[in-house]
Amino acid sequence: MVSMPIPSPVPDRAALVDHLVRTRIAGNVATPRENNLSHYRKLANGDRNFWLGLELGDRWTDEQDVLAVMAERCGVIDDPEHRTGQDTIDPQLTVDALDRKAAVLRKAAESQSRVLFATGHPGGLIDVHRSVAAGLRAVGCEIVEIPGGLQADEGFVFQFADVAMLERGATLWHTHSPEPMNAILDGLTREGRPLPDLVIADHGWAGRAGQRGIDAVGYADCNDPALFIGEAEGTLAVTVPLDDHVTSPRFYDPMTAYLLDAAGLPALP
């Protein structure tokens, strides 16, 4: 007999903060300061690979402005002279963002919204997305089924466990590209189907959905500043700061349990 997984117990805020720090989802994270600053600089220099599907124009050409947003919304060290070594994500900001996301989920549940889930980090976040999708479906939301045969970035866009991902050569692909989300939204339009009311995603999947006018919630690491800028500008509804690929995907389970409970959604195996 195959046993079903048991949903994680729901931690209170203090316990979740402690867990986030112990597992390095937040606190002293693995992403080094040098990598963070390099990405902030590339975004400011107009490298669209770091815009994650957003259109930032010439509004963020000073990397110090980018750093200021990241210190405020993600909790990286705000000293511009700190150039190397350790960087941080403030776990209190992570939980604050989870609470804001929970409010978005409650609204979606109340309005029986059509919701699309997608990830560019299948190795880390797929089960977080899957669990939230199951909770929303259980209360009557429609989880958007993507069109078949979609292609982007020399791969295929397909859906597994209710979550859209990019696949190449029978491998789930880590991608920051917005093109898979373009493929989904354009495919729905071609089929005459309504676009999602809400997208829950990460990387370019979330950024492009928000840029195209869809309510979007994203997860983002401290080296991916674009989605935090998107929330600051109002293009994204919420951006949750976290390390998006820690050493075990099971480390995200208490966070997911907290989110579902805060949103009033069932935790299903």
Side-chain angles (χ1 to χ4, degrees):
M1 180 180 294
V2 177
S3 61
M4 296 299 290
I6 300 172
S8 180
V10 179
D12 62 17
R13 183 184 181 103
L16 179 58
V17 166
D18 178 70
H19 172 80
L20 294 173
V21 172
R22 283 189 294 104
T23 57
R24 301 186 74 184
I25 293 172
N28 291 331
V29 294
T31 309
R33 180 68 166 190
E34 299 92 321
N35 185 260
N36 285 346
L37 295 181
S38 172
H39 286 201
Y40 304 170
R41 185 177 311 112
K42 289 174 180 177
L43 179 147
N45 288 340
D47 186 336
R48 286 178 173 267
N49 291 321
F50 294 88
W51 288 12
L52 301 184
L54 295 169
E55 293 298 332
L56 302 179
D58 59 359
R59 299 185 298 279
W60 297 92
T61 57
D62 187 336
E63 67 180 278
Q64 299 307 318
D65 291 339
V66 179
L67 175 60
V69 168
M70 293 302 292
E72 176 187 11
R73 293 180 176 268
C74 183
V76 301
I77 296 167
D78 62 0
D79 180 4
E81 299 306 314
H82 178 58
R83 310 299 299 178
T84 62
Q86 182 66 56
D87 214 339
T88 58
I89 293 174
D90 186 339
Q92 299 290 348
L93 293 178
T94 301
V95 181
D96 287 345
L98 290 170
D99 289 339
R100 295 197 304 276
K101 178 176 178 178
V104 173
L105 295 177
R106 281 184 175 275
K107 180 180 177 182
E110 291 167 0
S111 59
Q112 303 284 275
S113 296
R114 297 182 305 277
V115 187
L116 173 66
F117 289 82
T119 186
H121 245 301
L125 297 178
I126 182 174
D127 210 41
V128 178
H129 291 305
R130 178 203 65 81
S131 298
V132 177
L136 285 174
R137 176 182 278 111
V139 298
C141 289
E142 175 189 345
I143 306 305
V144 174
E145 180 178 340
I146 72 170
L150 298 178
Q151 298 184 45
D153 296 331
E154 301 180 344
F156 292 90
V157 185
F158 82 119
Q159 208 163 19
F160 174 73
D162 287 329
V163 186
M165 290 166 280
L166 182 67
E167 182 267 340
R168 291 183 192 163
T171 300
L172 303 181
W173 208 256
H174 172 215
T175 178
H176 288 207
S177 171
E179 293 309 318
M181 181 56 71
N182 278 333
I184 293 172
L185 300 180
D186 292 344
L188 290 170
T189 299
R190 282 195 303 272
E191 292 186 355
R193 294 167 55 194
L195 296 181
D197 300 310
L198 174 66
V199 167
I200 299 175
D202 45 70
H203 288 171
W205 305 77
R208 182 49 52 91
Q211 187 62 48
R212 291 183 60 162
I214 298 169
D215 285 345
V217 172
Y219 296 100
D221 209 329
C222 55
N223 63 353
D224 291 329
L227 297 191
F228 296 99
I229 288 173
E231 183 181 10
E233 292 194 329
T235 311
L236 268 73
V238 181
T239 298
V240 180
L242 47 66
D243 187 314
D244 52 17
H245 196 109
V246 291
T247 55
S248 170
R250 294 277 66 85
F251 289 163
Y252 297 108
D253 289 353
M255 181 191 80
T256 306
Y258 177 93
L259 174 63
L260 291 170
D261 182 70
L265 298 176
L268 304 175

